[in-house]
Amino acid sequence: MKKLRLILGDQLNIRHSWFEEDRKDVIYCIFEMRQETDYVAHHIQKVVAFFEAMRTFSKKLQKEKFEVIYYTLDDQKNKQDLSKNLMQLIQENDIKKFEYQLPDEYRLDCQLVNFCKELDIESESFDTEHFYTKREELKEFFKGSKQLLMERFYRHMRVKHDILMDGKDPVGGQWNFDKENRKKIPAKHVPPSPKIWSKDVKDLVELIKNQNIKTIGNIQEDDFIWPTSREESLDLLDFFLENCLKHFGDFQDAMTPQFWSLYHSRLSFAMNVKLIGPDEVIKKTIEKWRENSDKVKISSVEGFVRQILGWREYMRGIYWAKMPAYAIENFFEHDRKLPSWYWTGKTKMKCLQHAIGQSLNYAYAHHIQRLMVTGNFALLAGVDPNEVDEWYLGIYIDAIEWVEITNTRGMSQYADGGLVGSKPYVASANYMHKMSHYCSNCFYDHKEKVGDKACPLNSLYWHFMNRHQEKLENNPRIGMVYRTWNKMDEETKSNYLKKAEDYLKNIENL
């Protein structure tokens, strides 16, 4: 029976059991499509990375004697729509069965389910064999629970998969070392230069421009830095373990305008397109730690494992438990437009200027830059979560909806009303000064509250707390904030609110 098997752009998993089976009468298909480039304005590096990785994967399959039909973006046969391309291949090749791996995005899942309903041939879906969990596992785990606490799920995963466990107890005597992961980079500290590649992608950039694909951000056409093959991804993992892991725990929340990569692994794109799996990343990390336990602290290892085994799996579980309703959650009813300088980085606020500029230049920012800089300002300013979603989904190389929307609409913007985050993650300039080196050369003064050069984060913080007091004052994690606010004299409160309103009216000029 002749089969057609679909491989989506984020399903580049050579370890999948499909590739251990007989190659006879099986055609694999991979498509570059306007359907995928156009639903949001993506970073140019993101589009290039996907296409380069897809092409490399296709060549690898062909080298191993698999039959592959690959449509480039400008292929005359490419209908730029997944369903139309599949139907065309089914008819042209006398296909008797269509098979696909379960997509990680809800929209693609719906599209393929509906497509299969219209087929007059047999069809079947398969697991991607990538994640530790199945789609519905988190939903089942929390069945009957009022709160979906990540920490509880994370501990369950540790026990279930026997990761960093000493019998029934966690290695190191505690489950979570997060309090040890919040150090500021010392002024003269120099992290290792990031491992990057220097690939020539001029042909891909020219293709994208010739096809009039709308993109954002910048790219060095002859110096593309991201891993787009399994071999490169494994090299990046080895580099992280050898050079960065020992300081990852201490400085994973730190921010500085001097260095863009710091001690982060930058493996998220490679994992999200499945060039490497979370299981092998975690296994190699723990092996490296056991070999060097005198040099690498358990807090670094646990913090890294928690991001993958805990947070990544948790976010995917939330996505499949709550979609599609999750995509329209707006707990605070925020409706402000995203400031235009989110697309240019042209703001006088040094923290936002750098985090956005870095994102435009590298299609990358680490989790605290996303949460506590760009996300923090958007939440304080009352930006519509739809606007924030679109920006995050487009600008980051690792942004695929299942992981982006749960982090953005949930953790960052609290639009889900506390399903993912136990409180809104908002902060004044005090946090920025504590965790970064942004404030020292800023146009605004982080110490000033309501003066001419007062940091906007200070008044916007209290403006946010004031306008949402009814919804937030009973939250046990921020009760102290309202006790402080309620103790302020009316003149002080008024000055904060007036300053914030002035900033909001002139938000484009901040």
Side-chain angles (χ1 to χ4, degrees):
M1 179 171 25
K2 204 167 186 181
K3 297 178 183 177
L4 179 68
R5 286 177 168 175
L6 170 66
I7 300 173
L8 293 171
D10 63 347
Q11 295 178 341
L12 312 181
N13 180 11
I14 197 63
R15 299 192 300 158
H16 196 279
S17 59
W18 271 2
F19 307 117
E20 297 173 0
E21 298 174 6
D22 190 350
R23 294 157 173 75
K24 187 179 178 182
D25 291 330
V26 179
I27 299 174
Y28 291 89
C29 60
I30 307 174
F31 310 127
E32 299 169 8
M33 296 179 291
R34 293 297 295 257
Q35 170 186 311
E36 297 305 294
T37 61
D38 294 6
Y39 69 88
V40 69
H42 298 284
H43 199 295
I44 180 67
Q45 292 185 42
K46 181 181 180 183
V47 181
V48 167
F50 265 89
F51 285 1
E52 180 72 11
M54 290 159 63
R55 291 181 178 196
T56 300
F57 188 76
S58 175
K59 291 173 184 175
K60 184 179 184 70
L61 291 183
Q62 290 171 323
K63 188 176 181 180
E64 295 185 14
K65 308 303 181 184
F66 291 98
E67 184 176 355
V68 181
I69 296 176
Y70 190 101
Y71 282 177
T72 58
L73 196 65
D74 59 350
D75 193 312
Q76 291 187 346
K77 297 188 71 174
N78 192 344
K79 297 184 178 300
Q80 308 299 340
D81 176 89
L82 178 59
S83 301
K84 292 177 181 178
N85 280 340
L86 289 172
M87 187 60 75
Q88 178 174 258
L89 292 183
I90 288 171
Q91 293 172 349
E92 287 180 351
N93 295 278
D94 193 27
I95 299 297
K96 301 302 181 184
K97 185 179 182 184
F98 169 63
E99 298 179 344
Y100 67 96
Q101 295 176 32
L102 291 171
D104 289 325
E105 289 190 291
Y106 182 82
R107 64 183 177 88
L108 287 170
D109 191 64
C110 291
Q111 185 178 12
L112 283 166
V113 167
N114 290 332
F115 173 75
C116 290
K117 287 179 181 178
E118 300 297 320
L119 289 176
D120 56 7
I121 61 171
E122 187 181 350
S123 62
E124 186 177 0
S125 61
F126 294 80
D127 191 87
T128 60
E129 301 175 9
H130 172 81
F131 295 95
Y132 278 95
T133 53
K134 303 297 183 185
R135 275 185 182 178
E136 304 296 321
E137 190 168 332
L138 179 137
K139 186 176 181 179
E140 288 299 314
F141 176 76
F142 283 113
K143 193 172 184 179
S145 301
K146 292 182 179 180
Q147 287 186 309
L148 280 59
L149 295 176
M150 195 283 286
E151 182 67 22
R152 183 181 158 206
F153 178 72
Y154 168 55
R155 295 183 184 189
H156 159 73
M157 292 291 286
R158 290 266 298 270
V159 172
K160 178 179 178 180
H161 297 282
D162 192 24
I163 293 174
L164 289 178
M165 297 298 297
D166 185 7
K168 296 182 179 179
D169 300 316
V171 170
Q174 60 191 71
W175 292 98
N176 187 314
F177 291 85
D178 188 45
K179 290 182 180 179
E180 297 182 29
N181 302 153
R182 304 171 187 172
K183 295 179 182 177
K184 186 174 183 175
I185 291 279
K188 295 182 179 181
H189 183 91
V190 179
S193 297
K195 182 176 180 61
I196 58 176
W197 283 261
S198 298
K199 290 178 276 191
D200 189 328
V201 292
K202 290 191 188 77
D203 290 347
L204 275 174
V205 173
E206 184 178 0
L207 169 69
I208 291 163
K209 289 180 178 177
N210 288 344
Q211 295 296 310
N212 296 313
I213 305 297
K214 181 183 178 182
T215 61
I216 58 176
N218 310 310
I219 190 169
Q220 296 290 329
E221 298 178 18
D222 58 351
D223 197 24
F224 189 66
I225 66 172
W226 291 99
T228 51
S229 70
R230 174 168 171 80
E231 292 73 23
E232 290 172 349
S233 302
L234 289 170
D235 284 347
L236 184 57
L237 171 59
D238 289 340
F239 175 85
F240 167 72
L241 296 178
E242 187 65 35
N243 299 278
C244 303
L245 179 62
K246 61 184 176 182
H247 289 307
F248 172 78
D250 289 340
F251 301 128
Q252 65 171 291
D253 287 5
M255 297 174 286
T256 174
Q258 293 178 285
F259 307 104
W260 70 275
S261 181
L262 296 172
Y263 290 96
H264 293 275
S265 72
R266 295 179 293 111
L267 287 165
S268 50
F269 170 76
M271 283 199 291
N272 289 357
V273 299
K274 303 178 182 58
L275 292 172
I276 54 175
D279 56 330
E280 56 190 333
V281 172
I282 288 176
K283 181 181 178 181
K284 290 192 76 170
T285 299
I286 294 173
E287 286 175 355
K288 185 68 176 180
W289 166 66
R290 294 196 186 281
E291 292 170 4
N292 299 272
S293 57
D294 56 328
K295 298 177 182 177
V296 180
K297 295 186 292 186
I298 181 63
S299 58
S300 284
V301 179
E302 186 279 319
F304 186 62
V305 167
R306 186 175 357 114
Q307 286 189 351
I308 299 172
L309 182 69
W311 198 246
R312 188 171 185 264
E313 299 285 336
Y314 173 76
M315 284 303 195
R316 177 173 179 262
I318 292 289
Y319 181 79
W320 286 108
K322 299 299 179 181
M323 284 294 283
Y326 199 85
I328 58 171
E329 295 279 10
N330 190 355
F331 178 70
F332 291 124
E333 299 178 356
H334 284 169
D335 59 4
R336 190 178 303 279
K337 294 284 291 182
L338 193 71
S340 61
W341 41 259
Y342 265 72
W343 306 97
T344 66
K346 294 180 180 179
T347 170
K348 296 189 288 292
M349 287 177 282
K350 195 73 175 180
C351 55
L352 284 146
Q353 180 188 112
H354 179 263
I356 293 170
Q358 175 183 306
S359 301
L360 292 168
N361 286 331
Y362 296 102
Y364 171 83
H366 70 66
H367 63 288
I368 295 299
Q369 289 174 305
R370 301 188 199 194
L371 177 66
M372 299 307 300
V373 183
T374 50
N376 179 43
F377 183 88
L379 181 53
L380 291 177
V383 175
D384 186 334
N386 290 329
E387 296 260 318
V388 187
D389 263 344
E390 182 180 349
W391 187 80
Y392 277 94
L393 186 57
I395 202 166
Y396 291 119
I397 195 167
D398 56 10
I400 302 173
E401 191 186 59
W402 67 268
V403 68
E404 175 277 324
I405 198 170
T406 43
N407 274 287
T408 300
R409 197 170 285 261
M411 187 68 172
S412 174
Q413 299 303 293
Y414 203 76
D416 62 6
L419 181 68
V420 168
S422 56
K423 67 173 183 177
Y425 280 85
V426 289
S428 66
N430 183 53
Y431 173 88
M432 207 63 62
H433 178 65
K434 179 183 177 182
M435 291 305 302
S436 80
H437 296 290
Y438 293 141
C439 299
S440 58
N441 295 310
C442 187
F443 172 85
Y444 297 103
D445 186 342
H446 72 279
K447 295 179 182 177
E448 203 168 321
K449 310 298 183 185
V450 294
D452 291 340
K453 287 206 170 182
C455 176
L457 297 179
N458 289 329
S459 57
L460 289 176
Y461 176 84
W462 290 115
H463 191 276
F464 171 86
M465 289 299 178
N466 178 67
R467 71 179 186 266
H468 295 307
Q469 184 163 356
E470 187 176 336
K471 289 185 174 182
L472 296 176
E473 63 183 341
N474 292 322
N475 184 312
R477 293 201 64 192
I478 54 177
M480 186 180 296
V481 173
Y482 283 107
R483 288 194 290 275
T484 301
W485 176 246
N486 293 332
K487 288 177 182 178
M488 290 184 194
D489 61 72
E490 292 304 313
E491 182 179 2
T492 300
K493 287 183 179 180
S494 178
N495 289 339
Y496 271 123
L497 299 180
K498 286 178 181 178
K499 188 64 180 176
E501 286 161 12
D502 180 57
Y503 278 147
L504 290 173
K505 287 176 185 177
N506 295 282
I507 196 168
E508 288 291 337
N509 299 314
L510 291 182

